[in-house]
Amino acid sequence: TAVPTAPKPPEPKPEPPKPEPPKPEPKPEAPKPEPKPEPMPEAPKPAPKGVPWSFSVTGAGTATFGQAPAFLLGGRLGVRVDHGPLRLGLEGGGGTQTAPVTFADRRGAPAVEASLLRGNLLACALVPLLRGRAQLATCAVGSLGSLQVRARNVDVPRLRTPIAAAAAGRAQLEVGLLFAHDAGGGEARRPVFGVEVGAELGANVVRTNLIVNGDVIWTAPILQGGLSVGLFGTLP
């Protein structure tokens, strides 16, 4: 005999899968701020160069007119200081006649010799030329000196005003021959030795009279001036 078995329950039908809820769309990420580059430390600015000072000495041969009865040939020595485009200077020198002057139309026909000693004070403005290898100096010059006159055939010649004073303007071209150089730069920085050529024109503030035998045989003209050629050197 067989044991009756219970009927198997029907298998449940699989339920259809439930639809998944829609996934939320990802939000766009906010752009990350770019890191700011750290500022580079500023290089220290070089200290501004001050206006340079320059000291120099000069010597020149001179030819002057208008302060004696004839041309005077002589020379002068000077010292000067330059501060940027400005200059102050002090000069001393003089000159003498190369030959006596005879005043044949005067009583006794005196033959006159003269010599002059004077000092100059000058203030100048400097204009550089040729990239610093030359410069033009335009100067106001005041001079004060003493004029000495001798008459060969007169026992006692007399000067009414032996003081010689003048005011003038001078233009002077200075050209360097040797230069101080920047370290490693090779560019000329300033001349240390050179030549100078100048011309001067002005007026006699005091007009000297030369009296011989009671007659005024010569009076200094209004205009006076001269030429000069010399050398200069800059002190280290």
Side-chain angles (χ1 to χ4, degrees):
T1 57
V3 179
T5 57
K8 292 182 181 179
E11 293 182 358
K13 294 181 179 180
E15 294 182 359
K18 294 182 180 180
E20 295 182 358
K23 294 182 180 180
E25 295 183 0
K27 294 182 180 180
E29 295 183 358
K32 296 181 180 180
E34 295 182 0
K36 294 183 179 179
E38 295 183 359
M40 296 292 291
E42 294 184 0
K45 294 182 180 179
K49 294 183 179 180
V51 180
W53 291 85
S54 175
F55 297 88
S56 57
V57 295
T58 179
T62 60
T64 60
F65 68 90
Q67 290 192 314
F71 279 91
L72 301 177
L73 296 180
R76 67 170 183 249
L77 295 174
V79 293
R80 61 199 188 195
V81 56
D82 296 353
H83 184 54
L86 303 178
R87 168 182 294 171
L88 291 177
L90 185 63
E91 299 172 340
T96 186
Q97 289 180 197
T98 57
V101 176
T102 299
F103 294 87
D105 59 338
R106 298 294 181 179
R107 183 167 43 123
V112 175
E113 298 173 337
S115 61
L116 174 68
L117 291 175
R118 70 176 185 175
N120 299 332
L121 181 65
L122 57 151
C124 309
L126 306 177
V127 180
L129 304 172
L130 300 176
R131 296 183 179 180
R133 296 183 177 273
Q135 63 183 4
L136 178 66
T138 56
C139 307
V141 184
S143 66
L144 183 65
S146 175
L147 179 66
Q148 302 296 323
V149 178
R150 299 168 298 278
R152 288 185 172 182
N153 52 351
V154 177
D155 293 335
V156 186
R158 180 167 61 91
L159 284 174
R160 180 177 294 172
T161 52
I163 294 176
R170 180 190 300 175
Q172 185 165 281
L173 178 64
E174 302 167 1
V175 180
L177 300 178
L178 295 176
F179 298 87
H181 295 270
D182 290 321
E187 295 294 332
R189 182 175 60 185
R190 60 182 177 87
V192 294
F193 178 75
V195 297
E196 59 185 33
V197 180
E200 188 174 309
L201 184 64
N204 286 311
V205 178
V206 176
R207 301 181 63 189
T208 303
N209 293 320
L210 174 62
I211 300 173
V212 176
N213 294 328
D215 295 329
V216 178
I217 64 172
W218 176 80
T219 299
I222 295 177
L223 291 179
Q224 62 86 30
L227 301 173
S228 64
V229 178
L231 301 173
F232 69 89
T234 303
L235 301 179

